[in-house]
């Protein structure tokens, strides 16, 4: 009895000691190697990323902690400070606002942490080491090329929409789209239906940031489907019949494209529409299968996560990561690793999204 009690006491002390050690390791001993800060839990895209980041480090000796900013730059800064206190060596961060994130990454940089901007560039700071991204200019160009390929010509109405003016990617998407669309606008094959700023600049092949800003100010959706819906309704209400019929629509992403498509589908004066998107959201795959959305630019997040994590592991192991280009963030040229994008419509949705294992075909009607 006495002996059993003694063994139990020793086991109890050992267990307590183990817990204490684990706590020290977690908070003060550099137990968290990689910190990831994502913009919001409210979009399917970022929840998928969270899961894939965890899986990407499964077969390494490193561990990760993932926090969400819920669209708030103040919360983002708090998240970064939490991760700094846990001894991270690498910070992977996707900001809700590229400019506002500068303060958070500067705090990390001061602690000698390597900063990787993920999917969205952090702007106007020298505290960013790497940028892992889909080629955003190529995304916009792919959307625009799809519209040009489905054009009927003869001054066909073109409705332009953009992402949030606070997101650098919105400018890159629009830059890529404008390069492809502008020659067709200039020669009269396409007629801009909903932006006087774009109409005024239709003869300019290359737009300055400030010129793009003026256009995006008129056509922004702020990545918000409600705002996209309201804008589309306002534009169609104001449009004369010659700006209806067969229309082309530059939809910035899937979330907003579905909202815009619903508005155009409900207007009896719109005979047909071609609308673009990006992200391959489940709901948009359903829309594509049903003929309600024309295409999406598929950005295989599995590859992007792998690229980001391979970069992080290289840094942790003291190797120099491989990069494929650079982006100027307003202060410095940030070395970048770019991931390819794929155009998906009804013709190849099965091959690219179901056969590749990205989605289970049985989940769709």
């Amino acid at each position: 009895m006495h002996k059993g009690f003694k063994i139990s006491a020793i086991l109890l002390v050992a267990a307590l000691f183990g817990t204490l050690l684990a706590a020290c390791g977690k908070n003060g001993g550099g137990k968290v190697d990689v910190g990831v800060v994502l913009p919001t839990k409210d979009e399917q895209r970022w929840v998928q990323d969270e899961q894939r980041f965890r899986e990407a480090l499964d077969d390494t000796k490193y561990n990760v902690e993932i926090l969400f900013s819920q669209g708030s730059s103040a919360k983002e800064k708090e998240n970064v400070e939490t991760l700094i206190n846990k001894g991270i060596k690498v910070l992977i961060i996707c900001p809700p606002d590229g400019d506002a994130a500068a303060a958070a990454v500067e705090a990390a940089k001061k602690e000698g942490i390597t900063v990787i901007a993920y999917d969205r560039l952090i702007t106007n700071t020298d505290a960013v080491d790497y940028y892992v991204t889909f080629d955003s200019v190529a995304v916009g160009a792919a959307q625009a090329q799809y519209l040009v390929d489905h054009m009927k010509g003869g001054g066909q109405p073109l409705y332009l929409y953009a992402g949030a003016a606070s997101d650098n990617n919105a400018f890159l998407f629009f830059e890529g789209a404008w390069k492809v669309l502008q020659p067709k606008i200039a020669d009269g094959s396409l007629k801009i239906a909903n932006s006087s700023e774009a109409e005024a600049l239709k003869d300019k092949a290359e737009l300055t940031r400030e010129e793009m800003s003026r256009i995006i100010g008129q056509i922004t959706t702020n990545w918000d489907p409600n705002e996209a819906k309201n804008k589309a309704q306002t534009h169609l209400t104001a449009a004369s019949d010659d700006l209806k019929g067969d229309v082309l629509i530059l939809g910035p992403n899937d979330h907003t494209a579905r909202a815009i498509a619903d508005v155009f589908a409900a207007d009896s004066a719109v005979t047909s529409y071609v609308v673009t998107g990006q992200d391959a959201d489940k709901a948009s795959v359903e829309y594509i299968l049903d003929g309600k959305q024309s295409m999406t630019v598929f950005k295989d997040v599995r590859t992007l996560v792998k690229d980001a994590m391979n970069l992080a592991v290289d840094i942790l192991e003291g190797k120099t990561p491989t990069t494929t280009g650079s982006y100027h963030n307003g202060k410095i040229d940030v070395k970048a690793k770019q991931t390819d994008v794929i155009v998906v419509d009804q013709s190849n949705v099965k091959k690219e999204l179901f056969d590749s294992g990205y989605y289970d075909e049985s989940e769709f009607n």
Side-chain angles (χ1 to χ4, degrees), residues 76-270:
E76 177 178 67
K77 192 159 189 306
E78 199 180 291
N79 285 338
V80 170
E81 280 159 8
T82 300
L83 294 166
I84 291 170
N85 291 336
K86 293 194 174 186
I88 61 164
K89 306 284 191 302
V90 179
L91 172 66
I92 296 172
I93 178 168
C94 179
D97 182 321
D99 262 359
V105 297
E106 280 159 12
K109 201 81 203 123
K110 271 191 192 125
E111 300 299 323
I113 293 162
T114 302
V115 175
I116 300 171
Y118 175 77
D119 196 50
R120 294 175 184 168
L121 188 57
I122 296 163
T123 43
N124 296 313
T125 177
D126 57 7
V128 188
D129 297 285
Y130 297 100
Y131 178 33
V132 176
T133 183
F134 294 105
D135 185 340
S136 297
V137 174
V139 171
Q143 291 175 325
Q145 192 58 52
Y146 195 88
L147 295 178
V148 167
D149 291 345
H150 291 80
M151 195 169 80
K152 295 187 174 171
Q156 189 173 2
L158 169 66
Y159 288 80
L160 301 170
Y161 295 94
S166 63
D167 178 1
N168 188 62
N169 277 2
F171 285 83
L172 298 173
F173 298 142
F174 191 78
E175 180 191 329
W178 186 258
K179 275 182 185 162
V180 176
L181 295 172
Q182 187 271 335
K184 300 295 178 188
I185 297 164
D187 74 11
S189 310
L190 296 174
K191 181 167 174 48
I192 297 166
N194 66 331
S195 169
S196 56
E197 293 289 357
E199 178 64 28
L201 292 161
K202 68 180 182 184
D203 294 320
K204 277 200 77 173
E206 298 248 338
L207 298 176
T208 66
R209 177 90 176 189
E210 201 272 325
E211 287 167 340
M212 275 196 276
S213 192
R214 295 209 303 264
I215 298 172
I216 289 170
Q218 281 191 325
I219 61 170
T220 179
T221 61
N222 275 318
W223 300 128
D224 178 343
N226 289 321
E227 197 162 327
K229 178 187 172 186
N230 293 339
K231 273 231 162 76
Q233 284 171 335
T234 303
H235 293 154
L236 277 183
T237 303
S240 51
D241 280 352
D242 64 322
L243 294 176
K244 294 189 181 181
D246 298 311
V247 304
L248 301 172
I249 308 160
L250 181 70
N253 74 343
D254 285 348
H255 213 186
T256 55
R258 294 193 301 276
I260 294 164
D262 290 345
V263 173
F264 277 78
D267 190 313
S268 57
V270 173

